[in-house]
Amino acid sequence: MKTLVLVIVLVVLVVAGAVWWSRASKQRKERALADARADAQRWYERLGGQVMNLVPNDDTAVKQALVDAGERYNAAGSQLDQATSTKQFELAGHTALEGLYYVRAARTAMDLDPGPDLPPMPGQRTAGALTAEREVTLEGKEYRAGPQASSDTPYYYPGGVVRGRPVPAGWYSEPWWKTALVAGAAGVGTMLLFDAFFSPGMGIGGFDGGYDNGFADGFAEGHDGGDFGGGGGGDGGGMFDGGFDFGDFGGGD
């Protein structure tokens, strides 16, 4: 009889423990989801305020940067509307944060206070930033890049890892990285351009950042949490190559 009572008590304790654990786990997930939603909403609203209130000048680079910021704002809004998991809210927040980097670039190009520092995005530290102007010619076409906006370099890129290769923050003559971000669209020409601009073996200097650690580090960071993908261009958000894409909107946490 005592044995039976002991067994019953143990069963009750196990069941009670399982119920408590299930409820605690559910509460943790709900808190994480609420925190991710609030964080994404905060970046989204901050970006919206900048996009709607910052009036561009006649500079082509400034206008382009704000166009890219607006695209990121629209994409983040769409992602927020669809998000049902923590990862999806994080994706929306990352897209809005990316837009703020474009706003920051536009403000800098307009000689305005860029505003508070932004948290780094995946791949940025490895990619570094351009510190000197450079140009390369590939298949008879000239490409330029530099640390400052100009009429020759109107396309901003916040820095990151694209297709496993670090691309420094800076201003470029064309948003050539966008082709590499489309699955299966990174042709031989794009890969050669990567090498011509950024390969250590090409003897091209002008970086400020961690790129000297080599492509291995860049590849590792580019696949550690993703890289936000896009550099502007209405692709629905996300500039970096890696773990965040619209495929995430079919899954769970």
Side-chain angles (χ1 to χ4, degrees):
M1 186 66 180
K2 289 182 179 180
T3 302
L4 179 60
V5 171
L6 181 59
V7 170
I8 293 173
V9 169
L10 288 175
V11 170
V12 170
L13 289 175
V14 169
V15 172
V19 171
W20 175 86
W21 179 261
S22 176
R23 289 178 178 175
S25 178
K26 182 179 179 181
Q27 289 174 351
R28 285 195 299 270
K29 289 182 178 180
E30 289 175 348
R31 285 195 298 268
L33 184 65
D35 289 345
R37 180 189 292 111
D39 194 52
Q41 191 69 36
R42 175 169 61 92
W43 291 120
Y44 176 68
E45 291 175 357
R46 180 172 165 183
L47 174 59
Q50 291 287 331
V51 168
M52 294 174 188
N53 295 321
L54 185 60
V55 179
N57 56 22
D58 293 329
D59 188 276
T60 301
V62 171
K63 291 179 178 179
Q64 182 61 50
L66 290 179
V67 166
D68 292 338
E71 289 172 348
R72 304 271 81 72
Y73 176 70
N74 292 335
S78 176
Q79 290 164 354
L80 277 171
D81 289 341
Q82 299 177 54
T84 57
S85 71
T86 299
K87 187 175 182 180
Q88 291 167 357
F89 280 115
E90 288 174 350
L91 169 60
H94 289 162
T95 301
L97 179 60
E98 179 189 340
L100 285 168
Y101 270 95
Y102 284 103
V103 170
R104 187 178 178 85
R107 293 181 67 89
T108 301
M110 294 170 68
D111 294 323
L112 299 175
D113 181 353
D117 289 338
L118 298 171
M121 296 186 293
Q124 279 188 320
R125 288 196 177 100
T126 291
L130 294 172
T131 59
E133 294 183 0
R134 65 183 60 199
E135 61 181 65
V136 298
T137 300
L138 182 65
E139 298 179 345
K141 187 171 183 178
E142 188 176 83
Y143 298 86
R144 296 175 180 268
Q148 306 294 332
S150 73
S151 58
D152 292 329
T153 54
Y155 294 95
Y156 180 71
Y157 187 76
V161 178
V162 179
R163 307 281 291 197
R165 303 193 181 203
V167 179
W171 295 84
Y172 294 83
S173 57
E174 292 186 21
W176 46 266
W177 54 85
K178 287 165 57 179
T179 301
L181 289 163
V182 178
V188 175
T190 302
M191 294 301 101
L192 289 175
L193 191 56
F194 269 118
D195 292 339
F197 258 128
F198 309 123
S199 174
M202 298 300 292
I204 302 175
F207 287 101
D208 176 20
Y211 186 82
D212 288 340
N213 292 329
F215 279 118
D217 289 347
F219 184 86
E221 183 161 349
H223 289 73
D224 181 13
D227 189 26
F228 301 92
D235 56 2
M239 186 182 52
F240 298 109
D241 179 33
F244 293 101
D245 55 39
F246 279 111
D248 293 333
F249 277 84
D253 288 342

